[in-house]
Amino acid sequence: METHLARHHVVIVGGGFGGLQAALGLKRAPVDVTVLDRYNHHLFQPLLYQVATAVLSPGDISAPIRQVLRGRNTTVLLAEVQSVDLARKVVISDGGEIPYDTLVLAMGATHSYFGHPEWAEFAPGLKTIDDARDIRERVLLALEAAEREPDPERQREWLTFVIIGAGPTGVEMAGALAYMTRYSLPRDYRRVDTSQARVLLLEGLPRVLNTYPEELSAKAREDLEKLGVEVRTGAMVTGVDDRGVTVGDTRIQARTVLWGAGVAASPVARTLGVPLDKAGRVKVTPTLNVPGHEDVFVIGDLASLVQDGKPVPGIAPAAMQMGRYVAKNIRHRLAGRLLEPFRYHDKGSFAVIGRGSAIGMLYDKVRVSGRLAWGMWLGIHITFLVGFRNKVAVMLDWAYTYLTKRRDVRLITGLHANRLPRIEPERLPGVSEERVEESGAGLAH
Amino acid sequence: METHLARHHVVIVGGGFGGLQAALGLKRAPVDVTVLDRYNHHLFQPLLYQVATAVLSPGDISAPIRQVLRGRNTTVLLAEVQSVDLARKVVISDGGEIPYDTLVLAMGATHSYFGHPEWAEFAPGLKTIDDARDIRERVLLALEAAEREPDPERQREWLTFVIIGAGPTGVEMAGALAYMTRYSLPRDYRRVDTSQARVLLLEGLPRVLNTYPEELSAKAREDLEKLGVEVRTGAMVTGVDDRGVTVGDTRIQARTVLWGAGVAASPVARTLGVPLDKAGRVKVTPTLNVPGHEDVFVIGDLASLVQDGKPVPGIAPAAMQMGRYVAKNIRHRLAGRLLEPFRYHDKGSFAVIGRGSAIGMLYDKVRVSGRLAWGMWLGIHITFLVGFRNKVAVMLDWAYTYLTKRRDVRLITGLHANRLPRIEPERLPGVSEERVEESGAGLAH
């Protein structure tokens, strides 16, 4: 085996917004970088809801990590990290142990079902491409089932969609589903009127998008209701099963329930043996270190940091800033310099409701809503999308969707027909009742 | 329940090339049409290999059947047909029985493993979107595994791709894999040279693309070999397992084996109780009827028809011609007219090998190859692709791929890292042997 002249070895775990920026920031540094991710692609999560609602293809919002990080000093490996041994300075993965000189943890977060893991099966959340495909398939399948369903009561259940949690993802999903059932699909179905579909958005807190000012929450709620979404705030979900949701004493029958509520940090955080916040995030120092470990950084959704009395939010721009900061910090440390603490610059954030409707905050001061906010949201998302092909593909899909109102990426790829209701032949247009009696097809079987 | 004024009821099973054309041809006929398919989308199968090789997204080559058939007299239902009862004139589906006045069977074909169903697990074929995603994931995962693999012998196995069957699909897959490993990917990997990947194309018959003239077969073979594909004709596969393929006395170690060989008609054909050919296809009359059943038509890959001493090929144009013919036949029968027998007009067919290379036959006479054939192939496929969005998306993806040689739809979405080889830390660039000994990470565990 050849012996390498060992350079400083930086291990970055996670190829999301934070990890990618950290790796890119070290491209010309005198270090060797190893990036580990359990997926082979970087995912532009802010647009994932558009995969779940049949506007975009998964390939449009993802980029192979090893393509993005093509470069001299970076090795990319598909690996799932299970734990970190801070004392021995190794990361423990499915492929064995990997020693580091400096470690950057950027594994992000997953869903939290608030102590009800059994709800996951009935109410999928939206974090990965498989999640988005699963949700897309559930929604489309429910409409196919409604088209087959002879019983009006049960048809109603198939046409009821409940979204739990009115954060940005929940609001985006609710708006997109309402738009899709009201404007994109009605002409494609013959036996059901998809515009009669109920889309319910449930939120335990008193208002939607509670991290935004009250005025914007109110505006978002108004726009959602204009689209036909039934918004219920102060609604604490107490039960979720395969036929619906229970909210206190109220039962909502629904065959499709989606989860947009809790967030929990990657479980790897627990293996560090350091203090975590209640979402399982690592309480980092002002320089984004694990307390007592100057060689270990935690960034993005995995980091818990309070700045000026407010938590730094778990959004892409914060993760990217942290990633860039950490790369700079590593370069400076190697050069023997000290660095100022990390400062999050809140340039703004947006939540989109539907066609021509969004809300946003700029520089923590300026409030925007409606068409203006929507236009800004579009431009910003195209700008930050990774990869030229992706930018063009998404612009094309958006232009198409805007002009035609259609949603074409409507794929049910698995075989699911046998989970759908019985087809009553007498309800088919070409079939007379006599014809059914004649063939005996109307008999139970 | 309301009573319908029953019109003639045409049931079409299958929304592929044949079924779709049959339904479109009946759009203005005085009949009610019910289209049943187990998937919700029409699939442009000729481009499926480009999904499997990371050029196109599934959504680019599929269109929701109910959107294509939006129209007054057509009901589309997601249903899986299990059998047909010709005596009672009903189709038996997962959702119950559906009576028909006229039936069009267009369920197509699936893979055949020549009596070795146990090979299916190790050598997936390419018929559905799930198949294409599965193949894409296997290919990408093999490259990720090669990047992790410390043992050169086993790394070779991960970098060996065997395609069984040199029909159009096999040739297209082999050409695309060779191109991808040689031109698209090398710069993205650091520890392996993907351009050293072996792509083997095995064919039991004496030549590749045996339905084409010998001269074109020879040209195709030459172009494949130029791309770096090892072509082995007269190679009868006798064994397939998770580590490779056995061809007579020869063993080929390979972690990725793909199936492009046999075709078997949909098993529903067997439930008809009529004579089938050896691929399980229905031997139809010259008017494409099931013998003795003027109200039951069989079209596309499910039909076995000999014309002028030659079998009508199982390709999209033949299925489309059959679909249109049957629609016309049904309209004429209802009007009391008789129809001429079906005539397949062989306008041509193409097989593509790689960038700038294809072979083709026009009107069963003119032979084309090289860049000219490739250009024709491109134009024809864009023309016949269903849906405006799809045409634009595919053109864009092709332009991008042509200009950059990149393949960007490289998604591994499931969690598979733990099936990959151990990572040897001493082989990571930033890690010295001392460092490994120090941490103890090099120890077996």
Side-chain angles (χ1 to χ4, degrees), chain A residues 139-203:
Chain A
V139 168
L140 295 172
L141 213 50
L143 297 172
E144 293 296 333
E147 183 82 349
R148 270 176 57 161
E149 180 65 64
D151 179 71
E153 185 83 28
R154 280 185 306 220
Q155 197 179 59
R156 225 55 241 111
E157 288 182 19
W158 287 113
L159 287 174
T160 304
F161 301 88
V162 175
I163 296 109
I164 301 172
T169 303
V171 166
E172 283 158 1
M173 282 298 301
L177 283 181
Y179 188 85
M180 179 170 160
T181 49
R182 271 143 194 79
Y183 300 104
S184 307
L185 299 181
R187 289 211 299 138
D188 287 6
Y189 293 80
R190 195 183 159 93
R191 292 142 61 106
V192 295
D193 180 358
T194 64
S195 71
Q196 297 302 306
R198 284 180 77 194
V199 179
L200 289 102
L201 179 62
L202 309 181
E203 170 58 54

Side-chain angles (χ1 to χ4, degrees), chain A residues 15-17 20 39-44 61-65 68 384 386:
Chain A
F17 289 104
L20 221 51
Y39 296 111
N40 72 330
H41 54 275
H42 167 73
L43 178 63
F44 195 79
I61 59 161
S62 47
I65 295 171
V68 179
F384 283 95
V386 175

Side-chain angles (χ1 to χ4, degrees), chain A residues 183-254:
Chain A
Y183 300 104
S184 307
L185 299 181
R187 289 211 299 138
D188 287 6
Y189 293 80
R190 195 183 159 93
R191 292 142 61 106
V192 295
D193 180 358
T194 64
S195 71
Q196 297 302 306
R198 284 180 77 194
V199 179
L200 289 102
L201 179 62
L202 309 181
E203 170 58 54
L205 297 171
R207 57 193 175 90
V208 305
L209 297 171
N210 78 89
T211 58
Y212 288 86
E214 265 186 57
E215 174 203 332
L216 290 180
S217 288
K219 177 72 175 102
R221 181 177 186 139
E222 201 187 303
D223 283 1
L224 281 167
E225 286 171 345
K226 244 185 249 163
L227 264 178
V229 177
E230 297 175 40
V231 181
R232 298 196 189 165
T233 46
M236 293 300 292
V237 171
T238 51
V240 182
D241 56 54
D242 63 336
R243 295 297 283 272
V245 170
T246 309
V247 182
D249 298 338
T250 317
R251 172 76 188 170
I252 303 165
Q253 294 291 105

Side-chain angles (χ1 to χ4, degrees), chain A residues 327-343:
Chain A
K328 206 163 127 197
N329 198 347
I330 292 169
R331 292 195 315 262
H332 284 209
R333 273 188 73 224
L334 288 175
R337 278 187 278 166
L338 283 173
L339 205 80
E340 298 288 298
F342 171 74
R343 284 238 27 112

Side-chain angles (χ1 to χ4, degrees), chain B residues 310-330:
Chain B
K310 279 198 300 191
V312 174
I315 57 177
M320 291 169 82
Q321 288 179 29
M322 289 177 173
R324 281 193 291 265
Y325 163 87
V326 160
K328 206 163 128 196
N329 198 348
I330 292 168

